[in-house]
Amino acid sequence: MGKVIVFLVGLLVGAAGAHVASRTPAGARAFAAVNGVTDEFAAAVSDSYRARLAEER
C-alpha cells in the first residue's frame, strides 16, 4: 500500500511540476516540441493502420 501512495504522490508532484514548467517560455517550447513529435508518431501509426486495413480488403 505504501508503494502505491508513493507512486501517486510522485505522479501528482510530476504533474504539478510540468504545469509550472509549461508556464515558462522554455517549458512551453519543450512541451511544444514533445507534442509535435507525439503528433507525428500518432499520424504515422494511424496511416500505417489505415494502409493495413486497405490491404486486407
Side-chain angles (χ1 to χ4, degrees):
M1 184 68 179
K3 290 182 180 182
V4 172
I5 292 172
V6 170
F7 174 75
L8 291 175
V9 169
L11 192 64
L12 289 173
V13 169
H19 179 71
V20 170
S22 70
R23 292 179 176 250
T24 65
R29 284 192 304 272
F31 281 112
V34 170
N35 286 338
V37 170
T38 304
D39 290 343
E40 288 178 22
F41 177 76
V45 170
S46 178
D47 291 344
S48 297
Y49 178 74
R50 287 190 182 111
R52 180 71 178 177
L53 281 178
E55 288 176 2
E56 291 178 0
R57 291 182 186 179

